[in-house]
Amino acid sequence: MRPGLAPWVAFASVVFVACSPPAPATLEFVDQSPAQPRLGEITTLRFRAVDSRGQPQAGTPVSFTLQSDVPGVELSPTEGVTNTGDGIVSVQLVARGGRVASVVVVATAAGDGETKTAVSPVVSFAGTNSSSRQLTFQCGSFSGDASGAHHAIGAWDDTRNLIAGVKVRCIAHVGDRNGDGIGGAQVSFLTEAGTIGPSAVSATDVVGNAEVLYKSSLPLPDDVEPGEFTWQPLVDATHTGEYIAPLWMHPFLWETSPVAAHGTPAQPYNTRPEPRRNDPIRPGKVNNPRDNLVSLVAITSGEEAYEDNNNNGQYDQGEPFVDLTEPFVDNNDNGTWDPHERFVDTNGDGKWNGKNNQFDASSLIWVQERVLWTGWPHELDREDTVRQISPLPGVPIQVAHFGSKRSVFLVADPWYNRIAQNANDDGCKGGAEGPVNVDPFASGIAFTYPSYNVEEYVITDKHNPDASPPPPAFDPPVAFTVNATCKYTAAQIDGHKVPVRAPPVSGDVR
């Protein structure tokens, strides 16, 4: 060492030690960005050093560790220095594994023999790509968002004229393979008939829901040939395996003439013929339920569903997966694309493609929903679509003093579908001539749509048993007639009311 250098080194060391900052009075967690990180996404955590005067402390060395090691979670850098001006130091996290992970970061600052620590809240990493297994699309929200059960809207009058503008909200839910909803996902929608608007694209909210408004309008649903329901629909390279009709239509109980066949033993395990009838108003038309079954699809980007058998959070060769066709609107319900049906050209080759027999980690995933358009019977339809069950037609009934009797009948729309029923007070009442009251036996929203509805109402003696003194019985009995009216609401949103006249019932009250 040259003469004079050693004193200078010693002096510099003393100056450096003297300028080293003390431990801060407080070390605090500031924030995390983004607030809900996803797997593979970089998350920044910020901490602040504050001195004894309550001011930001600059130049403080801070080290970072995980409270406990979590496989796949990386922390970088492990050391930092607080900024001038705001006293903030940052650290970044990323979870590179394919599984959900949660960590806690501990920040430590030391000086002058003191140590200060700050602990972050739990940082949870969840979510990967959208998964076709989690993609859900349903219309109506009877039990909260995305709880679809609104299967039918009243879109026809009794003359088969379109009632345009009948509306229902439809919600697609986008989630990843771990079951976490994905916010900000772009979802596109296509429909066979009617309109999805105001736009055919919607973004999911923070829980992964994307809402659109569907309404009746041109174009009309395809008029399809009657088919058959089977529990073993075709599944191959070009067929999706969807049932010809959704199970909420009770296709496993179909009969060719369902109203006339009421009361015959059910055969749900057998292949069932779709109901059908010649339209008495339109020459040459054969009505069947699927004439008004409208297909809608929701489409987003994501991965095909697979079974993660080794639980490593990624697809491995040989694991079972759900192979998807390119998205299409199945107008005729046969489970495959036909030349007149709309589709999305995922690979841009100018034609519709079926399943490619390989797992797609990034593609267009899609799911189908179906909505029924219903009408109400014209007078010319009633012979096939309305049937009195109890009491038998033309058979008078006797209502006892203070008693009641129930009337049961069947009613279907002209296509052998239950009439859309979307309000809590829908049911049959009124129309009495004589000393009786007529009230619904049951009323409310319909959750399934078989080929017809079994309607019931109660005919009750008008005498008040709580009166004092109780009124005497009629002697002789007094005659009555009932022409009850059944009300059906066409939609949840501003739905019009459809009145249908029940078969007449008559009798007397004692």
Side-chain angles (χ1 to χ4, degrees):
M1 182 178 293
R2 290 178 296 175
L5 182 59
W8 169 251
V9 172
F11 174 76
S13 300
V14 170
V15 171
F16 177 80
V17 172
C19 293
S20 297
T26 304
L27 186 63
E28 60 187 13
F29 172 77
V30 178
D31 58 22
Q32 165 191 329
S33 179
Q36 296 176 318
R38 308 196 73 77
L39 293 171
E41 188 173 40
I42 296 174
T43 304
T44 301
L45 280 67
R46 300 196 304 165
F47 295 83
R48 177 186 288 114
V50 179
D51 64 21
S52 58
R53 301 169 300 164
Q55 300 299 313
Q57 181 168 304
T60 302
V62 180
S63 61
F64 304 102
T65 58
L66 297 179
Q67 193 174 63
S68 58
D69 289 336
V70 177
V73 177
E74 299 174 6
L75 181 72
S76 177
T78 57
E79 294 182 347
V81 177
T82 57
N83 299 331
T84 301
D86 59 11
I88 287 178
V89 61
S90 300
V91 64
Q92 292 183 331
L93 288 171
V94 61
R96 301 195 183 279
R99 310 303 301 175
V100 174
S102 296
V103 297
V104 173
V105 175
V106 179
T108 304
D112 293 344
E114 291 186 78
T115 300
K116 299 292 182 179
T117 61
V119 179
S120 75
V122 176
V123 181
S124 295
F125 296 88
T128 52
N129 290 337
S130 307
S131 170
S132 64
R133 175 170 292 136
Q134 294 288 336
L135 182 58
T136 308
F137 183 30
Q138 293 187 332
C139 292
S141 295
F142 287 124
S143 303
D145 287 349
S147 63
H150 188 128
H151 299 309
I153 58 175
W156 302 107
D157 68 16
D158 61 341
T159 68
R160 292 38 160 179
N161 183 62
L162 172 66
I163 304 173
V166 182
K167 298 180 288 294
V168 58
R169 290 188 179 92
C170 299
I171 297 177
H173 176 75
V174 181
D176 66 14
R177 73 176 82 105
N178 298 315
D180 293 301
I182 296 179
Q186 296 293 313
V187 185
S188 300
F189 300 88
L190 297 174
T191 178
E192 166 192 349
T195 303
I196 288 183
S199 169
V201 179
S202 181
T204 57
D205 61 17
V206 293
V207 294
N209 291 339
E211 179 179 307
V212 289
L213 187 68
Y214 175 77
K215 65 180 181 180
S216 59
S217 72
L218 296 175
L220 301 179
D222 274 17
D223 189 350
V224 298
E225 293 296 318
E228 292 182 331
F229 173 81
T230 174
W231 289 109
Q232 290 82 37
L234 185 59
V235 184
D236 59 18
T238 58
H239 288 79
T240 63
E242 288 269 8
Y243 295 127
I244 190 173
L247 297 184
W248 50 258
M249 288 180 68
H250 295 199
F252 46 86
L253 297 179
W254 274 351
E255 298 280 355
T256 303
S257 300
V259 173
H262 175 78
T264 60
Q267 302 179 61
Y269 300 141
N270 297 342
T271 298
R272 305 308 306 155
E274 185 172 6
R276 65 203 71 182
R277 60 187 289 266
N278 293 324
D279 193 312
I281 294 178
R282 301 176 298 169
K285 289 286 187 180
V286 176
N287 293 352
N288 54 278
R290 291 184 306 109
D291 285 342
N292 290 317
L293 185 60
V294 176
S295 293
L296 304 86
V297 295
I299 308 157
T300 191
S301 59
E303 65 182 18
E304 293 177 329
Y306 69 93
E307 299 296 335
D308 189 10
N309 289 339
N310 61 4
N311 199 39
N312 68 348
Q314 63 185 18
Y315 174 77
D316 296 296
Q317 193 67 33
E319 289 180 329
F321 66 94
V322 179
D323 202 2
L324 297 178
T325 70
E326 288 186 322
F328 70 98
V329 181
D330 193 7
N331 293 21
N332 61 6
D333 316 302
N334 68 349
T336 191
W337 178 80
D338 294 289
H340 66 291
E341 294 172 338
R342 301 175 68 184
F343 73 96
V344 178
D345 189 6
T346 302
N347 60 8
D349 66 353
K351 61 183 180 180
W352 181 82
N353 292 281
K355 303 167 186 177
N356 61 7
N357 201 33
Q358 66 183 33
F359 172 74
D360 293 313
S362 180
S363 185
L364 290 182
I365 57 176
W366 63 286
V367 67
Q368 177 178 246
E369 166 69 315
R370 288 188 271 190
V371 173
L372 198 59
W373 289 15
T374 75
W376 67 90
H378 187 275
E379 195 63 34
L380 295 174
D381 295 307
R382 290 181 66 91
E383 181 179 356
D384 295 332
T385 61
V386 180
R387 176 185 172 190
Q388 181 68 30
I389 300 297
S390 177
L392 293 175
V395 177
I397 61 174
Q398 290 186 333
V399 177
H401 186 43
F402 300 143
S404 65
K405 286 290 180 69
R406 192 184 306 176
S407 178
V408 181
F409 72 98
L410 313 180
V411 59
D413 83 347
W415 292 269
Y416 282 136
N417 284 311
R418 179 177 186 158
I419 302 169
Q421 186 173 327
N422 293 300
N424 287 322
D425 59 348
D426 284 357
C428 307
K429 62 181 180 180
E433 296 182 16
V436 292
N437 293 319
V438 178
D439 298 291
F441 176 75
S443 61
I445 296 166
F447 284 85
T448 62
Y449 282 83
S451 299
Y452 55 81
N453 187 32
V454 179
E455 282 288 8
E456 300 180 66
Y457 61 89
V458 179
I459 304 168
T460 307
D461 175 19
K462 250 185 181 178
H463 285 125
N464 182 7
D466 298 325
S468 182
F474 293 120
D475 189 15
V478 177
F480 70 85
T481 59
V482 172
N483 289 278
T485 298
C486 306
K487 181 195 70 174
Y488 303 95
T489 304
Q492 280 181 294
I493 307 171
D494 304 324
H496 58 274
K497 309 294 183 182
V498 173
V500 174
R501 176 173 48 86
V505 174
S506 62
D508 57 42
V509 180
R510 297 200 172 270

